[in-house]
Amino acid sequence: MTSPFAKEPSFTHGQTPRTAVLYCNLGTPDAPTTPAVRRFLAEFLGDPRVVEVPRLLWLLILHGIILRFRPAKSAAKYATVWLPEGSPLKIWTEKQAKLLQGWLGERGHSVQVRYAMRYGATSIASQLDALKAAGTTRVLILPAYPQYSATTTASLFDAVYQWAGKVRHLPELRFINHYHDDARYIAALAGTVQRYWQANGRPDVLVMSFHGVPERTLHLGDPYHCECFKTARLLAEQLGLGKEQYKVTFQSRLGRAKWLEPYTEPTLIEMGKSGVKRVDVICPAFTSDCLETLEEINQEAREAFLHAGGKEFHYIPCLNDDPAWITALADITQQHLQGWPTLAAPDSAALAASKAAAMALGATR
């Protein structure tokens, strides 16, 4: 009789229990090509958490229309931001995980840190399998999303639950829902803005552009809208900005339904037409630069603002590998690891990994 549960990895009595952190981001195509983007979009847009439309109807639209035309256009956009090492999102997410491993190791924590993607390669299930095979008994799920949304955070948790549904001997699991108002995250954001302004001067208006979601999710109880505005308010307070000096907008609209407003690009166009000479744009919901920041904002939104009459457009990069952000991420992680015994002396392999990651962190300072 075939069991619905996977066979457990070999176990040695007396082996030391291990703790791990799984740092999870959205995902990326394997390459800036039409076939790779089609595979990615099929998985991403096929997630019922992402598109809440009657299932059969949406699958007909997705496979009958969207996946026939959109992948080629999206692949061309990905090609404009692709780096020799690969996707910017993957590069930054992997680096953040390594730096987090090193920072925790410097603090004496014997914790393995891996990164995973909700969609595409380096899947959540594959990373959890690898951690379990290595003897991991406790896993902290750490989203790269500061603000909670069912379209992102809950979908990520779904993937963990789906993996868990096939496992006989489950590890202890903890989930971080959000850190949108964490003082350390806000301070790291403010630091990137302040350093940028010290080097480049200040704008007429700071635009805080968050990823959009359908407006109906707000009315159904999703806290994302409120958490975005709280992040923006706290960041503005940290920067000493008055209400007229910053604007909150939402980008990445998909389809014809009404999404959270105001929309980023139309807002920038209106600013350009109304005589605003310089805008700076930051994307606080993204902790790693990616297609939505590098192409949609720094290319498309820039062109729209300048074409509408604006004179200067400045994009302030995401947190990426900023030392203050990695420190904040380590603080948040350490807070949620409380109660788990992570301060025991690490084995030689874990110690070597921590030292190597710490050296890498030092090189970025």
Side-chain angles (χ1 to χ4, degrees):
M1 179 178 176
T2 303
S3 172
F5 306 108
K7 182 181 178 181
E8 289 293 309
S10 58
F11 174 78
T12 302
H13 287 285
Q15 70 184 37
T16 304
R18 295 184 177 181
T19 300
V21 176
L22 191 61
Y23 181 58
C24 305
N25 213 330
L26 185 81
T28 176
D30 296 323
T33 64
T34 299
V37 173
R38 181 178 290 113
R39 289 193 300 272
F40 175 75
L41 290 179
E43 184 180 7
F44 172 48
L45 297 178
D47 185 347
R49 289 281 195 182
V50 174
V51 181
E52 294 185 48
V53 172
R55 190 70 176 157
L56 180 58
L57 173 62
W58 174 244
L59 290 178
L60 288 172
I61 295 172
L62 177 61
H63 292 278
I65 302 174
I66 294 176
L67 293 180
R68 292 176 180 268
F69 303 103
R70 189 181 178 99
K73 295 179 181 178
S74 295
K77 293 181 178 181
Y78 273 106
T80 67
V81 302
W82 213 260
L83 299 173
E85 303 88 349
S87 161
L89 178 71
K90 179 180 181 295
I91 292 168
W92 287 122
T93 304
E94 182 177 16
K95 188 169 187 179
Q96 288 168 347
K98 288 181 178 178
L99 296 177
L100 178 58
Q101 168 92 60
W103 213 222
L104 291 173
E106 281 194 345
R107 296 179 179 185
H109 292 280
S110 177
V111 176
Q112 184 177 6
V113 179
R114 284 178 173 263
Y115 78 93
M117 299 295 183
R118 175 61 182 93
Y119 312 104
T122 321
S123 69
I124 290 171
S126 68
Q127 294 295 71
L128 288 169
D129 281 339
L131 288 172
K132 188 164 174 57
T136 301
T137 55
R138 309 177 192 91
V139 183
L140 174 66
I141 307 299
L142 170 59
Y145 323 125
Q147 297 78 23
Y148 178 96
S149 171
T151 62
T152 52
T153 317
S155 177
L156 187 163
F157 295 171
D158 285 346
V160 177
Y161 302 144
Q162 289 163 7
W163 171 84
K166 300 176 183 178
V167 173
R168 183 178 301 278
H169 188 184
L170 285 166
E172 292 182 64
L173 294 169
R174 288 183 183 175
F175 300 85
I176 299 178
N177 275 34
H178 53 195
Y179 42 91
H180 65 289
D181 56 356
D182 185 276
R184 297 155 294 193
Y185 157 67
I186 299 297
L189 279 176
T192 64
V193 176
Q194 289 164 340
R195 287 190 297 276
Y196 190 89
W197 287 350
Q198 287 170 1
N200 301 281
R202 295 170 67 97
D204 299 321
V205 180
L206 174 66
V207 175
M208 304 180 194
S209 179
F210 292 83
H211 198 286
V213 296
E215 186 187 74
R216 68 186 297 268
T217 63
L218 168 63
H219 303 304
L220 291 171
D222 196 302
Y224 179 72
H225 176 269
C226 298
E227 294 191 0
C228 289
F229 271 92
K230 186 170 185 180
T231 295
R233 176 175 61 80
L234 293 174
L235 177 56
E237 289 175 358
Q238 188 89 5
L239 294 170
L241 299 179
K243 291 183 178 180
E244 73 286 350
Q245 295 177 296
Y246 75 98
K247 183 77 172 177
V248 177
T249 63
F250 295 90
Q251 63 185 86
S252 307
R253 181 185 175 195
L254 174 66
R256 298 180 179 178
K258 186 176 182 182
W259 282 42
L260 295 181
E261 295 180 315
Y263 302 141
T264 298
E265 188 167 309
T267 298
L268 289 167
I269 291 172
E270 184 59 33
M271 285 181 174
K273 289 180 177 179
S274 65
V276 176
K277 292 183 171 55
R278 170 177 164 175
V279 296
D280 287 9
V281 182
I282 187 171
C283 300
F286 299 90
T287 53
S288 301
D289 272 311
C290 55
L291 181 74
E292 286 81 3
T293 64
L294 298 174
E295 193 277 335
E296 184 180 357
I297 295 300
N298 202 27
Q299 295 180 32
E300 291 186 5
R302 172 190 295 275
E303 182 180 353
F305 176 72
L306 297 177
H307 184 74
K311 302 303 180 184
E312 288 187 61
F313 181 102
H314 293 250
Y315 169 63
I316 301 175
C318 290
L319 292 166
N320 295 328
D321 62 349
D322 177 68
W325 161 235
I326 302 302
T327 302
L329 198 59
D331 289 342
I332 294 167
T333 301
Q334 190 171 328
Q335 175 185 337
H336 287 271
L337 287 172
Q338 288 183 19
W340 280 353
T342 63
L343 292 175
D347 58 35
S348 58
L351 181 60
S354 294
K355 287 183 176 179
M359 290 176 65
L361 175 61
T364 68
R365 293 175 178 169

